[in-house]
Structure formats: C-alpha cells, structure tokens
Amino acid sequence: MAKQFDYATMKEVFARFEAAEPHPKGELEHVNAFTLVVAVALSAQATDAGVNKATRALFKVADTPEKMLELGLEGLTEHIKTIGLFRQKAKNVIKLSQILVETYGGEVPSSRAALQSLPGVGRKTANVVLNMWFGHPAQAVDTHIFRVGNRTGICPGKDVDAVERAIEDNVPVEYQRHAHHWLILHGRYICVARKPKCKACPIADLCQFEEKTL
C-alpha cells in the first residue's frame, strides 16, 4: 500500500485533474433524483454502459416512483433483464418506489441514513446520489477509486471505508465535490487494473506506483 500524499502533493494532484477535466460527471444517464437512485442501484456488478442501454427506454415510461409502481414488477423486469442480478434488482426498485411514495411523498430524501434505508441502496449508492444530485461532497468509493487510491498514494486504505475517510480527510476542500468523479474516470480510462496507461497519466511524476508502464 502506498503512503498517503502530503497536503501540497494532494493539491497538485487535484489541480491537474481539474485542469484536464474541469467539470467531471458521472456516466449513468438519469433525468431526476429518482432515476439516478434507480440507475445507481442497477449498476451494482454491472457496467454503466449496460445500465444506460437498459434504462433509456425504462425511464421514458417510468421516471417517478408512482410510474414505476404502475409499470409493476413484470414490466420492470422485462426492461432490465440484460443487467446482472436483474430479478433481485427489480424487486428492490419496486420496494424502494413504494417506500418513496408512502414515506416521502414520492420525493427522494437528501439524507444518507434515509437513502440507505431503501432496498438495494448501500452507502456507495447513497453517496453517489448525495454528490451528483444534492451537491454534497460525499465520496462514493468503487473498485476504480480503491485501486487508484492505494496504487498512487492519493487515498490509501485497507477497505472502502478507509479509502472514503482518506479522501474526506486529505483532499483539499475545494476539490471535495468532484474528487470521486476524477478518481473514477482516472481509474476507468488511465490507471486501469492490468496495464495502467502511465504515459498518458497527468500525475505520473507524483504517483508512487513502482511498476509504471513508461
């Protein structure tokens, strides 16, 4: 595990990320808070591209919890059957839609605890929604961020919770809002798992990874 960067290095790392991509965005397609919750919940153990392909038609007919309940379990299942674990995910989406209608007046709550109480919504999903829709500096740690954090020294930690804390504790406050998007995109397209593209990396000279592909 790499050692945690000092503050000056962290600031330089994220200044470079910002220069390369000033306005990073998540790649899951959505039209409102509800469709974002659904898309993120469906993305567990699936690719964003695969989820987007399934939800484009789905969200045209069910972009609110009320409409999702009208579509029903069978209708939803038919839309998302190309996504991994689709049967359980469909049950979760129907259940969370029912809870949103009955408990929250059809609105998506803006608290982590409330979000995590919904079926199929864990801490990572809640953090994505808090960050992308409500603008909170929440950090959703996925496999890309875990790998990049430990490989480079940006946010090392033995598990996802430790990596999340490392981001919150060490990333300069002005970069907190977009930190997890920069790290995800970096891990998805440059600091990939098997053969990182170090020649294209904007922080290669700062990174602690010893097996650089230079």
Side-chain angles (χ1 to χ4, degrees):
M1 186 188 299
K3 293 181 180 179
Q4 176 69 57
F5 285 146
D6 59 28
Y7 180 79
T9 305
M10 288 289 279
K11 193 158 187 173
E12 178 62 23
V13 164
F14 283 92
R16 294 184 190 182
F17 283 155
E18 182 179 49
E21 184 61 69
H23 304 290
K25 295 180 180 178
E27 298 183 328
L28 285 172
E29 297 173 6
H30 59 283
V31 296
N32 54 29
F34 172 69
T35 54
L36 178 59
V37 171
V38 173
V40 181
L42 293 177
S43 72
Q45 300 182 47
T47 65
D48 287 1
V51 172
N52 289 340
K53 187 175 181 180
T55 58
R56 284 182 192 126
L58 171 64
F59 292 157
K60 288 180 180 179
V61 296
D63 60 354
T64 68
E66 293 85 356
K67 291 178 182 177
M68 191 66 73
L69 292 175
E70 289 177 11
L71 181 63
L73 181 61
E74 289 186 11
L76 171 58
T77 301
E78 187 64 25
H79 275 282
I80 67 169
K81 62 185 180 182
T82 57
I83 300 174
L85 308 175
F86 68 93
R87 294 189 190 281
Q88 184 58 50
K89 289 176 179 178
K91 291 177 183 178
N92 287 339
V93 170
I94 293 298
K95 288 179 183 177
L96 73 82
S97 297
Q98 190 167 4
I99 292 171
L100 289 176
V101 170
E102 295 176 352
T103 306
Y104 299 101
E107 299 295 323
V108 174
S110 60
S111 90
R112 182 183 283 117
L115 286 166
Q116 285 189 244
S117 73
L118 300 173
V121 177
R123 186 178 180 88
K124 187 182 82 171
T125 297
N127 281 349
V128 170
V129 175
L130 289 172
N131 182 288
M132 290 181 63
W133 192 260
F134 295 106
H136 298 180
Q139 309 301 333
V141 178
D142 67 353
T143 54
H144 295 300
I145 293 181
F146 187 79
R147 178 180 67 255
V148 170
N150 281 291
R151 178 185 275 173
T152 63
I154 294 174
C155 46
K158 67 182 187 302
D159 54 37
V160 293
D161 290 338
V163 170
E164 182 180 331
R165 287 193 299 273
I167 298 173
E168 292 175 345
D169 292 345
N170 297 291
V171 173
V173 66
E174 63 266 35
Y175 300 117
Q176 286 276 339
R177 170 73 195 281
H178 295 308
H180 93 274
H181 280 132
W182 282 316
L183 292 169
I184 288 172
L185 294 172
H186 190 64
R188 186 172 289 166
Y189 298 111
I190 295 179
C191 197
V192 295
R194 294 187 178 180
K195 191 176 181 181
K197 302 172 183 177
C198 299
K199 288 182 180 179
C201 177
I203 62 164
D205 58 316
L206 304 173
C207 172
Q208 297 178 32
F209 187 49
E210 294 180 357
E211 301 173 32
K212 291 188 177 72
T213 56
L214 298 175

